[in-house]
Structures are given as structure tokens and as C-alpha cells.
Amino acid sequence: MEPVLGVKIGCLFALLVLTLVCGLIPICFKWFQMEATRGHPQRGLRLLSCISAGVFLGAGFMHMTVESLENIELEIQKITMKNRTESGGNSSGDANSDYTDYPYGGLIISLGFFFVFFLESLALQCCPETIGRSKVQEEEVSEAHVCGLHSHEPSPSRRPFRALILLLSLSFHSVFEGLAVGLQTTVASTVQLFLAVLAHKGPVVFSVGLRLVQIGTASRWAVFCIMSFALMSPLGIALGLVVPGRDSQVGRGLAQAVLEGVAAGTFLYVTFLEILPRELAGPEAPLVKWSCIAAGFAFMALIALWA
């Protein structure tokens, strides 16, 4: 067995074990269940939940969005260079500049955001009694909030849908992360990229497990979700082992970059419309919540210095 192949197989199992352990901790320990705690432990759990919201925010901005923007820009440049080479360098420089200067990455991420927004709006339009509250109910809740009858729970029936979108977007991203590890050709580059993935994988999957517990997901389904999510990065590594890496076509790289951008957009949608509103509506002091969310974001930003 070649050394690099052995290292990749080791990375595959290490990512699987780490994801399972970090994701199952909030599910297996009752301390992380809000209804099972009282007093100071419950307050600590709410603060931990705010920190996890900051982790999601940091993962969205400092990792998924940045990586998708870089990859989309790189693939667009490859296509431009290829077209320029095939045309013998006779293509207009202004036209090429227009193609490369357009913010394709931002457009694709926004399309991912609006795609999930459309799906949820369509579901609300077609099945309002099963997917979410009606407009009148939302107005009643808003009036009760103004009168001092606070309701801190966001629309409960939307949570399973948004939790599914969260898992799907993270799963897409995890597959591509694993694929990048599997396509490395040297031991040093494989280990370096593996450690970078490992650094932010743990906090993110822990936050996913905590989120599943907080929305009231049944234990068996929460475990199933974590196990499915844990298989994504190893699946990507396995794909990288069986497909050629350096002679990959431009079209395939562009398709991968587009999927990463769509996944980033869906992740941002769930982060801003589900996770952050829920934490900001909690009973803790506003500055305390801000501090915890900022701490989670700062942690992911610190990891981005070398990951």
C-alpha cells in the first residue's frame, strides 16, 4: 500500500469517528436537553446555544461562503483562459473582462438562498395548516409580544424543514471537503488539508447535534441524522480515491463549485432565518447573547487563519 493511500484511509476513519463523537454528545447526555435542566444549568445551556449560533455564523461566512466564492472565481478564470486559448488569443479583452468581473459567486450563493426561500414559501402557500402559521396567527403573536406576552419560540412546524435544509447544505459541503482530501497526491498536503477540515468539523457537528436536540427531534432520528452526516466526508474521501484528480475536466470543477455555492446560500438562509432569530429571542440579556454569539464567530474566524 502506498503511504499516501494509507494516510487517506486513516483520515477517512478519523473524520468518521470525530463527527460521530462530537455530534452524539448533545444527543446522548441529558444535560443538553433544555427541559431536563433547571436554574443555572439551563442558563448555561442557553448561553452554549448562543455560542453554537455564532459557530454556524462563522462557518457560513468564514468557511463555506469564502471557499465557494474562491472556487467559482477560479473555475470562471479557467473557462476564460480555455476559451482564449481555443480562439487563438483573438477574443476581445473587454468581453473577457466583463465575464470575469461579474460576481458569479455572489449570484450563485444568492440563488441557493432564494431557492430554499421559494421552497418554504411554496410549502406555506400550499399547506399553511401543516407547515406554518397563518398571517393572522403571526399578527396575533406579534400583538401579544408588544403587549408584554412574550413568545420566544419561532414557528415550531418550520423547524424540521429548516433542520433538513441545514443538514443537506452541510452534507454537500462535507462531501466536497472530503473529495478535496481524497484528491491530494502527497502525504504532507493530505495531512495539512485533513487537519484544516478537522479543526472546524468538530464545533460545527456539535452545534448540529445541539440544534437537533433543541428543536425536539426524537433521539433515534437525531442519531440517524448525525450518522448520515458523519458519512459525508468519508464518502468524499472515498470518491477522491477512485476518481482521477489532476486531469479533471473544467466542467466538472465548475459543477462542483456551483453546488458548493448553492449549499452556502442554503446554509446562510437557515442561519439567519432559523438559528439566529431563535437565540436572539431568548430571555438572556442582549449584551450577553451578543457576547456569546460573537465568541462562537471569533472561534471560527480564528480557525480560518490556518484552516
Side-chain angles (χ1 to χ4, degrees), residues 92-112:
S92 171
D94 293 338
N96 287 331
S97 177
D98 291 339
Y99 281 120
T100 56
D101 289 343
Y102 188 83
Y104 291 102
L107 175 64
I108 292 172
I109 292 174
S110 301
L111 288 177

Side-chain angles (χ1 to χ4, degrees), residues 162-221:
R162 290 177 175 171
L164 176 62
I165 294 300
L166 175 68
L167 284 170
L168 288 177
S169 62
L170 284 173
S171 296
F172 269 115
H173 186 68
S174 296
V175 170
F176 295 134
E177 283 181 334
L179 183 62
V181 174
L183 290 176
Q184 299 304 305
T185 57
T186 65
V187 173
S189 61
T190 301
V191 172
Q192 182 180 8
L193 188 56
F194 163 73
L195 291 176
V197 172
L198 201 66
H200 70 269
K201 189 81 171 180
V204 169
V205 72
F206 177 85
S207 299
V208 170
L210 185 62
R211 186 63 45 185
L212 290 174
V213 170
Q214 289 178 338
I215 67 174
T217 307
S219 296
R220 67 176 70 179
W221 286 110

Side-chain angles (χ1 to χ4, degrees), residues 23-42:
L24 292 178
I25 286 176
I27 299 172
C28 296
F29 291 93
K30 287 189 175 182
W31 189 87
F32 295 98
Q33 299 177 11
M34 189 71 73
E35 65 275 6
T37 59
R38 294 291 184 272
H40 292 294
Q42 188 178 63

Side-chain angles (χ1 to χ4, degrees), residues 72-152:
I72 291 171
E73 182 180 357
L74 179 61
E75 295 300 326
I76 294 297
Q77 290 177 353
K78 287 182 180 179
I79 293 176
T80 302
M81 292 296 296
K82 181 180 179 182
N83 293 337
R84 186 179 302 172
T85 302
E86 291 177 350
S87 62
N90 296 325
S91 59
S92 171
D94 293 338
N96 287 331
S97 177
D98 291 339
Y99 281 120
T100 56
D101 289 343
Y102 188 83
Y104 291 102
L107 175 64
I108 292 172
I109 292 174
S110 301
L111 288 177
F113 184 98
F114 278 101
F115 176 69
V116 182
F117 191 11
F118 169 76
L119 289 182
E120 183 169 315
S121 299
L122 182 64
L124 287 169
Q125 184 72 26
C126 298
C127 307
E129 69 283 353
T130 58
I131 303 299
R133 300 170 179 171
S134 66
K135 184 176 180 181
V136 173
Q137 288 174 312
E138 293 290 352
E139 290 175 353
E140 291 175 352
V141 171
S142 177
E143 291 174 359
H145 184 82
V146 171
C147 295
L149 303 175
H150 296 276
S151 176
H152 298 298

Side-chain angles (χ1 to χ4, degrees), residues 201-273:
K201 189 81 171 180
V204 169
V205 72
F206 177 85
S207 299
V208 170
L210 185 62
R211 186 63 45 185
L212 290 174
V213 170
Q214 289 178 338
I215 67 174
T217 307
S219 296
R220 67 176 70 179
W221 286 110
V223 171
F224 175 77
C225 290
I226 293 298
M227 292 181 64
S228 301
F229 179 50
L231 291 172
M232 295 299 105
S233 288
L235 174 63
I237 295 177
L239 291 175
L241 293 176
V242 299
V243 300
R246 296 303 177 189
D247 56 346
S248 59
Q249 298 178 354
V250 174
R252 187 173 63 186
L254 180 61
Q256 176 179 329
V258 169
L259 288 175
E260 286 180 334
V262 172
T266 59
F267 186 85
L268 291 177
Y269 178 88
V270 177
T271 299
F272 280 101
L273 274 75

